[in-house]
Amino acid sequence: MSDTPAQTPAKTAFTPPTHTAPPARFSHGVRKGNILQVAGQVGFLPAVPGQPPTPAGPTLREQTLQTLANVEAVLREGGASWEDVVMVRVYLTDTGHFAEFNEIYDEYLAGTAGLTGPPAARTTVYVGLPAGLLVEIDAMAVLD
Amino acid sequence: MSDTPAQTPAKTAFTPPTHTAPPARFSHGVRKGNILQVAGQVGFLPAVPGQPPTPAGPTLREQTLQTLANVEAVLREGGASWEDVVMVRVYLTDTGHFAEFNEIYDEYLAGTAGLTGPPAARTTVYVGLPAGLLVEIDAMAVLD
Amino acid sequence: MSDTPAQTPAKTAFTPPTHTAPPARFSHGVRKGNILQVAGQVGFLPAVPGQPPTPAGPTLREQTLQTLANVEAVLREGGASWEDVVMVRVYLTDTGHFAEFNEIYDEYLAGTAGLTGPPAARTTVYVGLPAGLLVEIDAMAVLD
């Protein structure tokens, strides 16, 4: 818009090759200044041309691991990693999933992702999600 | 508070003339350092002195367009625009509204708002909102 | 991770002495660059070694005051205060709690916390929380 301050830092969007184009005018990942924001990710498998998004499976484990992999794909596409993430927002659909989710979350971050520095802050709440989805996660990272 | 670092950047709050004073001790928009945060906006029409807040209408379309206009009013009051927004959080009350919401969202951003740069990241979840409200949206922008 | 940019600012996590270790790999508070993020806090009383987390009480007032005190404890541990907070996210479980919550929120910020500058932006939505919990709050602050 014409009133955008001329000195505002550049804003860049990125979509991992594993991701489908977002269903609306938003970006899977965007960076402006020192902030990198990952949009809400769910447990969809890597996109297959011509096929609709498909969840990794019906279970919390399958969907959580895929969702975290999708968040990581966006972080990497933006030149960041879990070490740069300051906040993770977790949306579950069932309070009964909290303990299992935490086990999977820790297993992924410490194991698969190899996080060695201080973990991000996190907020977990229980909401409604589209049918079949048990978890959605977004993340904010701070870079230079 | 006395332990606030002396060198902390100035924090400023702003309220568009179209908005009523918030119902509690929060700001519709605030900027500190390079971060501009827009509080959760709903589909209330421009404030009329002496009258309670009134939704733009009962439909998702009416409320979404007004909510986005309200977010934009706060951004502009803070000297920002949609081009500066890195994250939009959308709270709907019915998963059945997702497709229609996306149509209206795209129509507003590309049309009314004239967004030409990369769109912000976004997370959409389904929650409870006060009676009669179908959508709430907040946004974070990064400036210099 | 090996691909973390070498020039990325340091990331530090902190846990107030009143807090138990988080139940998963996340930090109650973390700072990276100019961003300080407080994880979602609930109304648990100061931790007692060997005892499970205990809510301050069953009422919205008891839990809200304790939750705000817990957010403040994390802010202070990170060298920040409410004056530095730009966004507060409030998760309630009942829309009928909004008016009372606002009274308690204002009473705490203006009274107990002594907030004198512009208040943070805020978004309040209604979600599910673990049994017995009526409120969860997180906050983001901007420092130098």
Side-chain angles (χ1 to χ4, degrees), chain B residues 33-56:
Chain B
N34 65 329
I35 302 295
L36 186 155
Q37 178 69 54
V38 178
Q41 301 292 306
V42 295
F44 290 148
L45 292 165
V48 176
Q51 290 184 28
T54 305

Side-chain angles (χ1 to χ4, degrees), chain C residues 19 21 28 31 37 57 66 81 85 101 110 115 136 141:
Chain C
H19 283 48
H28 280 302
R31 178 176 178 175
Q37 179 68 54
Q66 186 63 56
S81 80
V85 177
F101 175 80
L115 177 68
E136 179 164 357

